[in-house]
């Protein structure tokens, strides 16, 4: 067949050469390895109607080339474009991308060339993502995109970190970026109904299917997404088949997580714990005027009763070892892809299984995808992207609920004298001293799971009305998540024993439908290039929720609602809709001046009829200085460009129905519905709007070996939705109004360079720095707003929104240290103007008090880092590559909310304390102490205070990978076109300014009992046939 | 799904033509609620709305716990092991303007007032009704008026000085009889004005209300009983006696025989129960709705039992006047007696046999046991109101007979006589009979009595200094109506949002 084709081409070319127009053929090869490049686009310069695409062998044929044509332009995604002289049997060599300026980026509603794009956007390609052993891709983005902050908050498997683009712009509405997968907006949210688990939409996406991820940062880049793009947009493009023979890729990864990533509140030894308990009681008796002798006897009695009497002849029990395991990670991917000039396809199937270090915690995912594109005639092109994913999380137990959390039990509750086995070696049902429990025994009496079936289909029909000039595209997408949550506590488990056991089954079904149609125009007139886009979009989100609960279970064997003695259920639905029109126009002149503008109008059901329509727009431009005449002689500057943008975006209220004065019915009484007015409503509630300007300088120097970009931006988020206090006499406390304002201003730098670029050796080193300062500019009536870390179950840390202050300002009492002579805790009084106070002492010339409630609260720090980013190195020698990805954060603080439990000064009777606390507490022998005297019932560790603040600076080797491509010669006999083996490590090293716990905290800089992150090591092999 | 697809496609087409047609596509209402403007259209909707109010009354911030216990721990019939547990801020009178624990009363009760005002307003707008519908509606509206009277009375007891201190001249609470807009900033009426409004609402309710027993709802006698209470507080003893007698003489309710008294706490809607709030099994598992049992049951005696509140030494002494008093039957061993030291087994610190857990809320036949109905008004209280009012109007004979009807529950105590009957004797009986039903503090305060707190005896007896409460700074060992903190402050949040509202003196 191929031969026939080749002959036909030859014959045809012969015929054509006789005409006035000529026929040009050639081959496109990779400059690096000489392999043919398929799918490259070849077009005659100045005549866009004459073009061709290279076949599997890299060959192309251009028919009807006008005799006036001198050059052709050759381009392909991922390689440097080239303009070459027309010649017979041309051979064009393309270099692979080294962050090339003409890289084609996926942007809002289309693609753009990086070198001419007027917005702020960063694209990360598959190569950077593929080997990171994680079920969610965002980890791979850490430190690679300036302005993107990813915080992993838990080591629970299958969880998704918190992602912020350029700071936090809202107080009550969402700060999550918008995710767009293959052009269709997806709202990422935690979809489970269980409180102790994170099950994000994004964890259903197989990272191996991702071709590229683009982060849109400024208004020029994102405002085409209008109302939901104020927090940035993350565009995810899945893979497509590439022209050529079918390619089969098989990849297997195996890994282990043998240890935590860092120290995590290592407890003091058992002997030291007893010492602490004794000391707590002894000091208490002394404080109450008892004699030292009495105090010693009584304190010892308590230690003996509480701990010593429980000691087991078999010795101390190692709970750390019993509760946490070396977790195993495995991942298998197979994909088959290919394309010819009519059809392209990419299909994949993947299985991933990830164990948590907590014995019962597992995540598994099975996913399949088929992306197919078919050309129909000359005009039409249809494509289908289908994906089905089933994921399952089981056995998660890292809620803040202290009675259950295994990690907390291990650090704070389970003394080594608590022996889980009886004399015969059987696990025993026991709770020691009230709350600690034999988790090993109780393990069989609870279970939970969250299972997600996701089906998505994106259907696109494109009509190339005038090839390369005018095209119309319509997309319809169906996205469905079916989440089944389950939780069971048997009647024997103390947690639900008062209800005779409890089983909950939830079904949550989320469906998103999007219809989107665009018309795209693109034409060049000499030096002028014009493009325009208009579009229309409608979207509907619906969620159906059903819960069935059973209590009074007959036994510990039957674990379904059906068997329960008492049943309870609930079911309802919620949703929202949106309709938008959008448009964009771009103009460029002589590849030097670029202008762009966009406008979008959104209507949302989340707002009332008078306020639901909002307009969002942007203008932007860039000037390519390096293309000016006067720069032609500056040979060391390959590219120099400035760009600037200004525009608006919107954010919707979180609630679907905030504008509706709702009347609810869930207050049942005597078995009958009970109705009530359940809140105030503001019918005039409208969009939060952000106004963003961005200025950037981009350069590429020294034969394209050094790339540097600097961005300056300012985002003013106005009309923030805040609850405004009302007189309680009206029946309610607050009404929502658009009143607040926050500013995020910052600088982002990214630089990377090929330090070594020889035939055998290449070394690329890059770094990103983001410095974003979020400031509260305006609040209702200038009144402060106190708020708490919303992720913690029990108000872990306290913040204040105050005009002029950081958006993450910690609020509390200012710790003044420990009085050396007495061991008393001291706080600065920080008297208000004119306030009368009585100081107990002075520290640093400032009045202090021994009683925290006599001190005023003040701003004590900020969780916002001054700078964060990453350092990335890629070193290659022949076929061997070593990639290192570091992340860092500087200048922020973390708040150790757990101190109240594990450095408690004696507040709780039987909680274990950290080794760090043991070493740093006050005793008569150790008076230069960080923590005060230990006394039973002390309240000194309670409350929000700066003693719990620690520097959050760290540098972490987040990902390291070593990979080797086997020589091709040896493989070709086995029909293997490529074979790569690799080994990776995650969280390999962490250097942190304060070493008690993992410094990578949530966005609120606050610690919790969430299972910590661990170190993971994997090995893998990738085969391509 | 298919229909929605079509709608979406249709919306797409239409919207291209004219954006205004998108409005229908963009209209989304919640499935579990409706807009409040259209919620009440029929008498049945009114009944549903009333159900909502009754349920809300069982909130932990009202009859579900805090209001129920408030009078007992502030009246010194209850004490606490250590400050910081339970609602000890109230016990210690630690309520200050900017400490918001107390604000919940204000918030929740005014929300209840909003709901009943909405019911009354909406009910008046219903169209033509059949006569049976009208009768039903009248009863519902009567309940709404009666509840509004009760809510205002509860608020004025918390925030306003006792009526008899200055004949109601001092500040009470804002009187709310309509649905307010979000920007309303009402100010306080005097105590006398609030009392007058309560009486007016209850008198409006009387002719509308059903006279038969309506389990779980307020009926005619509930409203009459409320009037009796208000008149007693106001010192209008003649009317208090009149209203109390109306209930006693109606024969609709009967006093529990002493032998049946303890059992009456284990069943719903007893023969004394004039107004009782229903607590469902579902709410029984919700600590925000129903937690009296958790707060009274000693630690370790059931999941969630915190034993925060236990009978004070003074209350146990009062009960000990008669060891055979039938009311001992619901007094169970408390934390001191069972485990000591807040649940940690440290043997030497027990007080063996201390029965300080008062189990009036220990299950009434429903599962779980925490789902116990709340008795807002019982016939025993009406007898004691009658006794006190009769005594005040010099009808000692009647007073003695009313008191002894209840005093029979202490078989070893001699019945009261016309020679020895006193207000103290009646107050003591009220304490024993009505403990944990929301009376003791108000009973002492309304008569200008001095409340004595004992913060140390319990801890000393327990032999462990952990239990010796440090007397809080916020009150001395005695409190009377001259102490400014005998009433709650208006919260700072309220004052910020409503600058015109007046604070109580000295706060």
């Amino acid at each position: 067949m191929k031969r026939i084709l080749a002959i036909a081409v030859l014959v045809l070319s012969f015929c054509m050469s006789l005409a006035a127009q000529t026929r040009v053929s050639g081959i496109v090869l990779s400059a690096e390895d000489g392999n043919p490049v398929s799918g490259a686009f070849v077009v005659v310069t100045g005549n866009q109607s004459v073009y061709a695409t290279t076949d599997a062998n890299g060959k192309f044929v251009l028919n009807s080339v006008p005799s006036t044509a001198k050059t052709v332009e050759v381009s392909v995604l991922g390689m440097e474009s080239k303009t070459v002289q027309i010649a017979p049997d041309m051979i064009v060599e393309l270099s692979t991308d080294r962050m090339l300026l003409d890289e084609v980026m996926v942007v809002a509603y289309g693609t753009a060339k990086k070198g001419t794009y007027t917005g702020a956007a960063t694209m990360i390609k598959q190569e950077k993502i593929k080997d990171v052993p994680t079920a969610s891709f965002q980890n791979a983005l850490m430190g690679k995109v300036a302005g993107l902050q990813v915080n992993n908050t838990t080591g629970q498997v299958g969880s998704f970190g918190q992602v912020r683009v350029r700071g936090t712009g809202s107080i009550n509405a969402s700060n999550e970026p918008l995710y767009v997968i293959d052009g269709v907006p997806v709202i990422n949210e935690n979809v489970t109904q269980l409180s102790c688990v994170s099950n994000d939409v994004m964890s259903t996406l197989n990272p191996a299917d991702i071709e590229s991820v683009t982060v849109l940062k400024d208004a020029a880049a994102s405002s085409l997404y209008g109302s939901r793009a104020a927090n940035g947009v993350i565009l995810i493009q899945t893979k497509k088949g590439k022209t050529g023979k079918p390619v089969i890729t098989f990849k297997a990864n195996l890994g282990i997580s043998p240890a935590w990533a860092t120290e995590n509140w290592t407890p003091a030894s058992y002997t030291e714990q007893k010492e602490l308990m004794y000391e707590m009681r002894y000091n208490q008796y002394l404080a109450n005027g008892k004699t030292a002798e009495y105090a010693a006897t009584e304190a010892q009695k308590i230690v003996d009763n509480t701990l010593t009497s429980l000691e087991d002849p078999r010795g101390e029990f190692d709970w750390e070892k019993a509760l946490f395991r070396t977790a195993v990670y495995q991942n298998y991917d197979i994909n088959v892809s290919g394309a010819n000039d009519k059809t392209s396809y990419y299909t994949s199937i993947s299985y991933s299984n990830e164990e948590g270090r907590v014995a019962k915690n597992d995540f598994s995912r099975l996913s399949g995808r088929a992306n197919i594109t078919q050309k129909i005639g000359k005009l039409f092109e249809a494509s289908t992207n289908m994906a089905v994913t089933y994921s399952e999380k089981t056995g998660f137990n890292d809620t803040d609920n202290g009675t259950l959390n295994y990690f907390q039990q291990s650090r704070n509750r389970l003394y080594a004298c608590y022996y889980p086995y009886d004399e015969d070696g059987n696990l025993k049902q026991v709770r020691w001293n009230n709350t600690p429990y034999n988790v090993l025994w109780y393990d069989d009496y609870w279970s939970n799971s969250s299972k997600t079936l996701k089906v998505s289909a994106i259907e696109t029909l494109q009509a190339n009305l005038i090839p390369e000039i005018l095209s119309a595209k319509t997309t319809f997408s169906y996205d469905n998540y079916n989440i089944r949550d389950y939780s069971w506590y048997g009647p024997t488990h103390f947690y639900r024993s008062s209800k005779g056991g409890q089983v909950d089954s939830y079904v949550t079904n989320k469906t998103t439908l999007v219809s989107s149609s665009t018309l795209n125009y693109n034409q060049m007139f000499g030096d002028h290039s014009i493009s325009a886009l208009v579009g229309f979009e409608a979207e509907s989100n619906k969620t159906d929720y059903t819960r069935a609960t059973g209590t009074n279970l007959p036994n510990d064997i039957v674990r379904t609602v059906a068997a329960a003695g008492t049943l309870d259920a609930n079911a309802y639905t919620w949703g929202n809709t949106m309709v938008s029109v959008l448009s964009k126009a771009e103009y460029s002149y002589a590849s030097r001046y670029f202008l762009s503008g966009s406008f979008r109008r959104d209507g949302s059901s989340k707002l009332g009829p008078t306020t639901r329509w909002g307009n969002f727009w942007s203008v932007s431009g860039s000037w390519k200085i390096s293309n000016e005449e006067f720069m032609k002689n500056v040979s060391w500057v390959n590219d120099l460009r400035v760009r600037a943008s200004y525009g608006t975006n919107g954010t919707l209220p979180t609630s679907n129905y905030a504008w509706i004065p709702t009347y609810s019915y869930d207050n049942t009484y005597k078995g009958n519905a009970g109705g009530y007015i359940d809140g105030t409503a503001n019918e005039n509630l409208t969009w939060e709007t952000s106004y963003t300007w961005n200025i950037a300088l981009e350069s590429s120097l020294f034969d394209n070996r050094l790339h540097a970009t600097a961005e300056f931006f300012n985002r003013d988020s106005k009309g923030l939705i805040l609850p405004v206090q009302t007189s309680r006499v009206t029946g309610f406390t607050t009404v929502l109004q658009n009143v607040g304002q926050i500013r995020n201003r910052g600088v982002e730098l990214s630089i990377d360079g090929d330090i070594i670029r020889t035939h055998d050796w290449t070394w690329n080193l890059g770094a990103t720095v983001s410095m974003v300062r979020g400031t509260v500019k305006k609040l209702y009536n200038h009144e402060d707003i106190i708020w708490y870390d919303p992720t913690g179950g029990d108000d872990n840390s306290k913040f204040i929104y105050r005009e002029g202050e950081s958006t993450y300002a910690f609020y509390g009492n200012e710790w003044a240290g420990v009085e050396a002579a007495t061991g008393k805790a001291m706080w600065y009084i920080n008297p208000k103007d004119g306030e009368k106070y009585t100081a107990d002492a002075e520290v640093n010339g400032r009045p202090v008090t021994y009683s925290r409630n006599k001190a005023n609260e003040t701003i004590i720090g900020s969780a916002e880092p001054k700078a964060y980013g990453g350092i990335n190195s890629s070193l290659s020698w022949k076929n061997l590559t070593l990639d290192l990805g570091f992340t860092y954060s500087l200048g922020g603080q973390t708040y150790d909310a757990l101190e109240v439990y594990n450095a408690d000064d004696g507040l709780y009777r039987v909680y274990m304390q950290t080794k760090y606390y043991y070493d740093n507490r006050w005793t008569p022998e150790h008076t230069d102490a960080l923590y005060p005297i230990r006394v039973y019932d002390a309240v000194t560790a309670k409350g929000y205070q700066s003693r719990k603040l620690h520097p959050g600076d760290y540098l972490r080797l987040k990902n390291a990978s070593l990979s080797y491509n086997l020589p091709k010669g040896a493989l070709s006999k086995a029909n293997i076109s490529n074979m790569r083996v690799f080994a990776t490590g995650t969280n390999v090293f962490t250097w942190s300014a304060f070493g008690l716990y993992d410094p990578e905290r949530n966005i609120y800089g606050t610690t919790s009992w969430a299972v910590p992150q661990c170190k993971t090591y994997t090995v893998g092999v990738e085969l391509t046939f | 799904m298919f229909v929605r697809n079509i709608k979406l496609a249709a919306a797409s087409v239409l919207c291209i033509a004219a954006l205004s047609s998108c409005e229908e596509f963009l209209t989304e209402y919640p499935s579990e609620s409706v807009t409040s403007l259209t919620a009440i259209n029929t008498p049945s909707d009114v009944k549903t709305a009333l159900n909502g109010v009754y349920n809300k009354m069982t909130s932990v911030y009202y009859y579900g716990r805090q209001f129920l216990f408030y009078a007992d721990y502030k009246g010194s019939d209850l004490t606490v092991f250590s400050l910081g547990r339970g609602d000890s801020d109230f016990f210690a009178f630690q309520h200050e303007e900017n400490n918001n624990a107390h604000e919940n009363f204000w918030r929740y009760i005014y929300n209840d007032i909003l709901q009943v005002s909405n019911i009354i307003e909406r009910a008046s707008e219903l169209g033509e009704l059949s006569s049976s519908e009208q009768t039903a509606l009248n009863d519902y509206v009567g309940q709404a008026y009666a509840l509004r009277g009760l809510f205002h009375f509860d608020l004025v007891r918390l925030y306003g000085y006792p009526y008899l201190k200055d004949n109601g001249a001092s500040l009470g609470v804002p009187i709310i009889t309509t649905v307010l807009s979000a920007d309303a900033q009402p100010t306080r009426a005097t105590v006398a004005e609030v009392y007058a409004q309560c009486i007016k609402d209850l008198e409006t309710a009387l002719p509308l209300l059903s006279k038969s027993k309506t389990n779980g709802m307020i009926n005619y006698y509930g409203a009459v009983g409320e009037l009796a209470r208000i008149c007693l507080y106001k010192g209008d003893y003649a009317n208090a006696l009149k209203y109390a007698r109306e209930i006693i003489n109606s024969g609709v309710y009967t006093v529990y025989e002493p032998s049946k008294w303890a059992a009456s706490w284990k069943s719903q809607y007893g023969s004394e129960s004039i107004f009782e709030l229903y607590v469902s099994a579902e709410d029984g598992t919700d600590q925000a709705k129903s937690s009296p049992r958790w707060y009274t049951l000693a630690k370790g005696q059931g999941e969630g039992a915190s034993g925060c509140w236990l009978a004070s030494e003074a209350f146990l002494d009062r009960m000990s006047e008669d060891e055979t008093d039938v009311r001992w039957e619901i007094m169970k061993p408390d934390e001191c007696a069972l485990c000591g030291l807040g649940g940690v087994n440290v043997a030497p610190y027990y007080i063996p046999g201390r029965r300080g857990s008062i189990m009036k809320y220990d299950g009434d036949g429903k599962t779980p046991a925490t789902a116990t109905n709340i008795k807002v008004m019982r016939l025993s209280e009406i007898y004691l109101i009658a006794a006190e009012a009769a005594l005040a109007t010099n009808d000692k004979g009647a007073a003695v007979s009313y008191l002894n009807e209840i005093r029979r529950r202490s078989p070893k105590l001699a019945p009261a006589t016309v020679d020895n009957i006193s207000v103290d004797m009646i107050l003591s009986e009220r304490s024993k009979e009505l403990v944990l039903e929301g009376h003791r503090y108000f009973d002492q305060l309304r008569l200008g009595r001095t409340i004595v707190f004992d913060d140390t005896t319990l801890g000393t007896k327990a032999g462990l200094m952990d239990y010796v409460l440090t007397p809080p700074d916020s009150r001395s060992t005695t409190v009377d109506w001259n102490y400014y903190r005998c009433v709650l402050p208006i919260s700072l949040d309220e004052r910020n949002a409503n600058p015109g509202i007046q604070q109580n003196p000295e706060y």
Side-chain angles (χ1 to χ4, degrees), chain A residues 457-606:
Chain A
I458 304 174
E459 291 289 330
T460 305
L461 185 66
Q462 183 166 338
N464 298 310
L465 303 171
I466 308 170
E468 298 299 309
I469 293 176
L470 185 65
S471 64
K473 187 165 125 176
T474 183
T475 299
F476 187 84
S477 107
Y478 168 83
D479 210 20
N480 178 263
Y481 295 86
N482 189 52
I483 302 115
R484 285 178 299 134
D485 295 311
Y486 170 82
S487 156
W488 166 74
Y489 289 95
T492 313
H493 196 293
F494 62 86
Y495 187 56
R496 289 287 183 255
S497 61
S498 65
K499 296 178 184 177
Q502 179 169 339
V503 57
D504 291 284
S505 286
Y506 307 81
V507 179
T508 312
N509 198 302
K510 286 170 66 74
T511 303
T512 303
L513 300 170
V514 180
S515 161
S516 169
S517 303
T518 54
L519 196 61
N520 214 326
Y521 166 78
N522 209 331
Q523 200 160 20
M524 280 179 79
F525 304 94
D527 280 342
H528 306 271
S529 169
I530 294 174
S531 72
L533 171 116
V534 289
F536 170 79
E537 221 168 68
E539 178 181 329
S540 136
N541 286 293
K542 263 284 178 216
T543 305
D544 280 298
Y545 164 80
T546 308
R547 170 183 62 83
T549 299
T551 47
N552 288 322
L553 307 180
N555 51 42
D556 290 309
I557 303 161
V558 191
R559 300 171 181 190
T560 55
V561 174
T566 310
L567 301 178
D568 181 42
N570 202 350
Y572 50 97
T573 66
W574 64 90
N576 57 66
T577 53
M578 182 180 253
V579 173
S580 320
V581 283
L582 54 104
S583 61
K584 180 176 81 166
E586 285 175 349
Y587 167 78
S588 73
Y589 174 72
S591 298
R592 293 203 293 272
Y593 309 104
F594 301 86
L595 279 176
S596 177
S598 71
F599 173 78
R600 177 170 175 136
R601 183 167 165 82
D602 280 334
S604 168
S605 67
K606 287 186 169 189

Side-chain angles (χ1 to χ4, degrees), chain A residues 950-967:
Chain A
H950 304 290
D953 314 82
Y954 72 90
L955 172 68
R956 164 168 276 178
L957 178 51
K958 188 78 193 166
N959 297 303
S961 83
L962 183 66
S963 68
Y964 180 66
N965 274 307
L966 269 68

Side-chain angles (χ1 to χ4, degrees), chain A residues 298 612 661 663 670 727-728, chain B residues 23 34 36 103 215 349 494:
Chain A
E298 291 296 307
R612 66 170 46 132
Y663 190 87
K670 294 181 71 186
S727 167
R728 278 73 176 133
Chain B
E23 292 303 325
V34 300
S36 59
E103 202 208 27
N215 292 343
Y349 309 114
E494 174 67 35

Side-chain angles (χ1 to χ4, degrees), chain A residues 313-615:
Chain A
R314 286 164 287 189
E316 293 184 12
F317 188 77
D318 187 347
W319 281 103
E320 171 83 15
K321 204 171 144 190
L323 287 172
F324 307 113
R325 62 185 171 186
T326 290
V328 176
Y329 165 82
Q330 47 186 318
N331 183 65
Y332 307 96
D333 288 307
I334 300 178
N335 68 62
V336 181
S337 67
N340 58 29
D341 53 353
K342 290 282 186 212
T343 309
S344 98
Y345 60 94
Y346 168 87
T347 61
S348 76
I349 189 153
S350 154
Y351 174 74
S352 179
N353 186 302
E354 199 176 343
E355 289 180 349
R357 290 206 68 219
V358 179
K360 291 182 78 170
N361 186 206
D362 291 311
F363 173 76
S364 65
R365 177 178 60 207
L366 184 64
S367 70
R369 171 173 286 276
N371 291 352
I372 296 163
T373 307
Q374 174 71 45
K375 289 197 175 101
I376 307 161
K378 285 192 169 170
L379 271 182
F380 294 101
E381 188 177 314
S383 72
T384 300
N385 289 12
M386 297 272 297
V388 178
T389 304
Y390 176 74
S391 73
E392 185 169 325
K393 290 185 80 165
T394 54
F396 29 84
N397 198 351
D398 61 352
T399 133
D400 263 7
N401 184 335
T403 56
L404 298 175
N405 181 311
Y406 284 15
F407 180 66
Q408 179 175 17
Q409 289 285 331
S410 78
R411 289 298 181 277
N412 198 223
R413 306 292 159 88
L414 289 169
Y415 285 93
C417 65
Y418 298 164
Y419 216 84
Y421 300 98
D422 63 16
E423 288 83 12
D424 304 325
N426 300 317
L427 285 169
K428 54 186 180 185
Q429 180 185 2
V430 58
R431 296 182 75 189
W432 300 278
N433 290 321
N434 246 358
T435 59
Y437 66 114
N438 187 357
V439 291
L440 303 180
W441 188 88
Y442 280 100
D443 248 355
D444 291 337
Y445 296 90
W446 69 273
S447 72
N448 56 23
S449 61
S450 182
K451 300 172 182 174
T452 306
L453 177 67
K454 187 203 166 177
V455 178
S456 85
I458 304 174
E459 291 289 330
T460 305
L461 185 66
Q462 183 166 338
N464 298 310
L465 303 171
I466 308 170
E468 298 299 309
I469 293 176
L470 185 65
S471 64
K473 187 165 125 176
T474 183
T475 299
F476 187 84
S477 107
Y478 168 83
D479 210 20
N480 178 263
Y481 295 86
N482 189 52
I483 302 115
R484 285 178 299 134
D485 295 311
Y486 170 82
S487 156
W488 166 74
Y489 289 95
T492 313
H493 196 293
F494 62 86
Y495 187 56
R496 289 287 183 255
S497 61
S498 65
K499 296 178 184 177
Q502 179 169 339
V503 57
D504 291 284
S505 286
Y506 307 81
V507 179
T508 312
N509 198 302
K510 286 170 66 74
T511 303
T512 303
L513 300 170
V514 180
S515 161
S516 169
S517 303
T518 54
L519 196 61
N520 214 326
Y521 166 78
N522 209 331
Q523 200 160 20
M524 280 179 79
F525 304 94
D527 280 342
H528 306 271
S529 169
I530 294 174
S531 72
L533 171 116
V534 289
F536 170 79
E537 221 168 68
E539 178 181 329
S540 136
N541 286 293
K542 263 284 178 216
T543 305
D544 280 298
Y545 164 80
T546 308
R547 170 183 62 83
T549 299
T551 47
N552 288 322
L553 307 180
N555 51 42
D556 290 309
I557 303 161
V558 191
R559 300 171 181 190
T560 55
V561 174
T566 310
L567 301 178
D568 181 42
N570 202 350
Y572 50 97
T573 66
W574 64 90
N576 57 66
T577 53
M578 182 180 253
V579 173
S580 320
V581 283
L582 54 104
S583 61
K584 180 176 81 166
E586 285 175 349
Y587 167 78
S588 73
Y589 174 72
S591 298
R592 293 203 293 272
Y593 309 104
F594 301 86
L595 279 176
S596 177
S598 71
F599 173 78
R600 177 170 175 136
R601 183 167 165 82
D602 280 334
S604 168
S605 67
K606 287 186 169 189
L607 300 169
T610 54
T611 54
R612 66 170 46 132
W613 290 95
N615 298 327

Side-chain angles (χ1 to χ4, degrees), chain B residues 83-95 99 101 309 474:
Chain B
L83 294 178
R85 287 176 66 181
D87 304 310
S88 68
D89 284 6
F90 294 119
F91 172 74
F93 288 67
Q94 274 163 344
H95 28 76
N99 156 2
W309 294 103
S474 41

